[in-house]
Amino acid sequence: QVQLVESGGGLVQPGGSLRLSCAASTSAFSDNAMGWRRQAPGKQRDLVAHITNDGRTVYEDSVKGRFTIFRDNAKNTVYLQMNSLKTEDTAVYYCYAVNSRGSTSWGQGTQVTVSS
């Protein structure tokens, strides 16, 4: 199982930006698909963004054009750049990794709060 350590969450005003980081403790990082999901109180853990091992990306419609997922394989890290943040983006954000066998690992979650 891959250990994932998230950072970068916090409190930001509407229209502001945050960058989330997720560092993976595996020598096979480059073989993993990576991504982010988020969960608000009383809601499901929904997809935010996904990136394959060769850099293909997919985004949830509500964040497309505002969020960018990218990875640095040399640092074993995936990032989520979040711009033009809205109050509806408030949630706990979870990083995940999916290996070549389809097994999934999860980070502990980091709180993002968008409020004035």
Side-chain angles (χ1 to χ4, degrees):
Q1 189 173 358
V2 178
Q3 182 182 9
L4 302 173
V5 180
E6 300 164 326
S7 61
L11 175 65
V12 65
Q13 295 185 170
S17 298
L18 286 173
R19 187 175 72 180
L20 306 183
S21 300
C22 176
S25 61
T26 175
S27 60
F29 178 81
S30 62
D31 294 328
N32 282 257
M34 304 291 296
W36 297 86
R37 300 181 83 95
R38 65 186 180 185
Q39 187 167 25
K43 299 186 181 298
Q44 295 186 120
R45 189 176 297 186
D46 293 329
L47 177 71
V48 179
H50 181 86
I51 185 167
T52 66
N53 59 350
D54 59 355
R56 291 171 291 159
T57 60
V58 62
Y59 297 92
E60 190 249 338
D61 286 343
S62 69
V63 309
K64 192 172 182 63
R66 299 188 297 121
F67 292 8
T68 303
I69 186 171
F70 58 101
R71 63 193 296 161
D72 186 341
N73 289 345
K75 293 183 170 63
N76 287 359
T77 301
V78 66
Y79 304 90
L80 184 67
Q81 180 66 46
M82 310 166 67
N83 299 327
S84 301
L85 282 161
K86 304 175 180 180
T87 56
E88 66 178 331
D89 296 318
T90 297
V92 178
Y93 285 69
Y94 297 91
C95 174
Y96 66 84
V98 184
N99 68 15
S100 61
R101 299 181 301 277
S103 297
T104 303
S105 300
W106 292 94
Q108 79 285 356
T110 185
Q111 177 71 47
V112 172
T113 302
V114 185
S115 176
S116 60

